[in-house]
Amino acid sequence: MASAPSKLYSGLSLALSTIFFFFKVVEGLDSVIADDVSLVVVLLDTNPFFWTTSSFPFSHFLSHVLAFLNAILTLNQLNQVVIIATGCNSCDYVYDSSKTANQSFGNGRMPTLCATLLQNLEEFMTKDEKLGIEEAEERITGSLLSGSLSMALCYIQRVFRSGSLHPQPRILCLQGSPDGPEQYVAIMNAIFSAQRSMVPIDSCYIGVQNSAFLQQASYITGGVHHKPQQLDGLFQYLLTIFATDLHSRSFLQLPKPVGVDFRASCFCHKNTIDMGYICSVCLSIFCTRHKKCSTCGSTFGQAQSDDASATNRKRKAPDS
Amino acid sequence: MKNGEGRRLNKQAGEDDEEEEDDLEGGLEAWERRYAEDRSWEALQEDESGLLQPIDNSAIYHAQYRRRLRALSLASSAASRIQKGLIRFLYVVIDLSRAASEMDFKPSRMVVVAKHVEAFIREFFDQNPLSQIGLAIIKDGVAHCLTDLGGSPESHIKALMGKLSCSGDSSLQNGLDLVHGFLNQIPTYGHREVLILYSALSTCDPGDIMETIQKCKKSKLRCSVIGLSAEMFICKHLCQETGGTYSVALDESHFKELILEHAPPPPAIAEFAISNLIKMGFPQRAAEGSISICSCHKEAKVGVGYTCPRCKARVCELPTECSICGLQLVSSPHLARSYHHLFPIAPFNEVPSSRLNNSHGRSPSTCFGCQQSLLNLGNKPGLSVACPKCKKYFCLECDIYIHESLHNCPGCESYRPSKPVAASGE
């Protein structure tokens, strides 16, 4: 009497578990497909002030980068690449692999990616140069990294909105120009927004000195920062360090962040300090005691709007 | 049971009869309770031909967002230069009287409040890394301190997630007295704030609450209240006297919105805090593989940590106060997190849809930030916004993202001004 229902029960449970296993596998397949598909937004530095003084010519640099981009697209059929050019007077999108699938600028000698990108880059740089024609500065001007970072983050937000099966986005900065201190606040805003959306910012710095902004960006967002020693082998560095998708990075030994300097610089002398005084109103950093804050104009130890009264002046005692 | 259910549905409007509410959990299953108040049919609309279509949520969301922005900018345009209180010392007072066990918020008011206070604490430290929070509860007519003022979110959240029970009456005066005592001891450059999450409809006080309110006003405490039941005169009076905000939550999502509104720094009243120079240290990371005794856990640790520049003690995380010499330790990204409060971006202007259909073709058809097309299907112009400074066009979603999370206008950042005028920042 117990055998028939128990056989039925065991048969049913076997069938159900097979179905659940099947669904799990399919589910697993879905997440595996989504896990190693990447969307790489490349911020390409086209600042002519930097490239004319660099020992590494821009044409060689472009050939390494083009080979690297083609490699990314061949790693996975669903990978996407978007390129934003960072000029010295403007920033703009110059290539989107999902959009140009149907265009065929290729004339048989060059693949479509290269031809489209080179044409768009040329148009961008002509426009960029025209915008800066009123300037006549001899000093090297930086590029507008904060602008292209902001545009990249807006594009990535659009990708997030497009549905549950989207590629994993990340940003790669190929930068050579030095940091522009006037962009500090904007770049930090972009970095914190990227950290909140969990978008890593990788950076490859090909300039002369170190870039503190890019080191901080990669450290805070969980990306990789590298300054290649030999620029002739740039393609090798790019392919081995920056080409892998985020899921596979846990299996690789990538350059670790060493010596990221988070000390602040004081607003009065621009020296790096490890102990300083902060204005409680505007958070400006000073290395020595001042009577008045140079940024917000508040007088220390007194209430803002009242005139200094005797009792208030006594309260100016330090509170360390 | 049907009677009770009918009464519960009617309770959405006014909550004055909470004493009459029966215990309904015997009648409904848990899954039934979830749907008892859910009216998903209200999210559908009929168009002209009688076909059903869901309400276009994105346009509504965007309209709400712009209304909120306009209200904020109207408030701030009253003064020429609005200061924000960036170094805040906030006490969150949670009412755990018997009214907090009401179940109009699922599963009970107390659980919902605890959940959202946890999210609020994380958001608060994200936006104000130099500030400190303390938690207090009111239970059985007496106020207790749950956690002291501190800058680390984990300790507060751990205390909150412990077993919380509610009973007795609630006493607003005792709560205010308690936090007043604690907040009187903080340095003068800090902004003192209290956020009261009040569920009850009455307060049982040992003395004259008006005196306590005057005392708080004199100590420059800014008290805000979020009510969960109905509006009370005494809470409104308290907030008006001390310069805080009073709001009453209609449901759980509204409550979440109201409590998260207190995360960004409020406009500071200039006389409230004496501006002062605060001595802070910027520690360096300890070298990889170095072994030292950590001063917060009192045990030996390897590698990752920071060294106080004054006394060379090791601390595990930033921002914190060095437990040996008392120096505030921060890193420069922590300060940078607050800079966007000082340099906010202007709200974008709405573009009338007719402009996009211009035959000149001067208006761009794609969003400058994300390259999404600004035209609807069929080339009809959709809603878009434009930055008043750089005149670039953005889609609605980029507008929300830029103002809520990014705090940079991509158009303004991508164009170098032709004359060397300081754009922003240092």
Side-chain angles (χ1 to χ4, degrees), chain A residues 88 93 142 158 193 219 276 278, chain B residues 278 280 285 369-370 401 408 416:
Chain A
C88 64
Y93 287 86
R158 174 182 159 198
S193 182
Y219 180 73
I278 315 270
Chain B
I278 312 166
M280 290 198 185
R285 283 181 66 129
C370 64
Y401 173 66
N408 283 344
R416 200 180 282 281

Side-chain angles (χ1 to χ4, degrees), chain B residues 105-174:
Chain B
F105 286 69
K106 305 276 173 300
S108 76
R109 285 185 187 170
M110 178 177 71
V111 175
V112 167
V113 163
K115 187 168 74 158
H116 289 305
V117 167
E118 179 194 342
F120 168 74
I121 289 178
R122 291 197 195 279
E123 179 72 20
F124 180 84
F125 282 115
D126 195 45
Q127 299 219 12
N128 308 277
L130 301 175
S131 310
Q132 297 186 1
I133 277 190
L135 293 175
I137 54 174
I138 307 179
K139 200 165 128 178
D140 290 322
V142 187
H144 307 282
C145 173
L146 202 58
T147 56
D148 286 323
L149 278 174
S152 143
E154 297 309 318
S155 55
H156 299 304
I157 291 174
K158 209 162 67 157
L160 204 55
M161 292 297 129
K163 282 196 75 58
L164 290 176
S165 58
C166 42
S167 62
D169 298 318
S170 134
S171 167
L172 200 54
Q173 183 180 10
N174 282 338

Side-chain angles (χ1 to χ4, degrees), chain A residues 86-126:
Chain A
T86 316
C88 64
N89 297 309
S90 61
C91 304
D92 204 2
Y93 287 86
V94 290
Y95 182 74
D96 185 344
S97 67
S98 51
K99 250 198 289 192
T100 55
N102 299 327
Q103 280 179 340
S104 49
F105 277 122
N107 48 11
R109 282 184 297 147
M110 271 198 282
T112 318
L113 165 91
C114 306
T116 324
L117 174 60
L118 291 176
Q119 173 153 7
N120 287 343
L121 254 186
E122 203 178 309
E123 284 171 11
F124 169 75
M125 291 182 75
T126 335

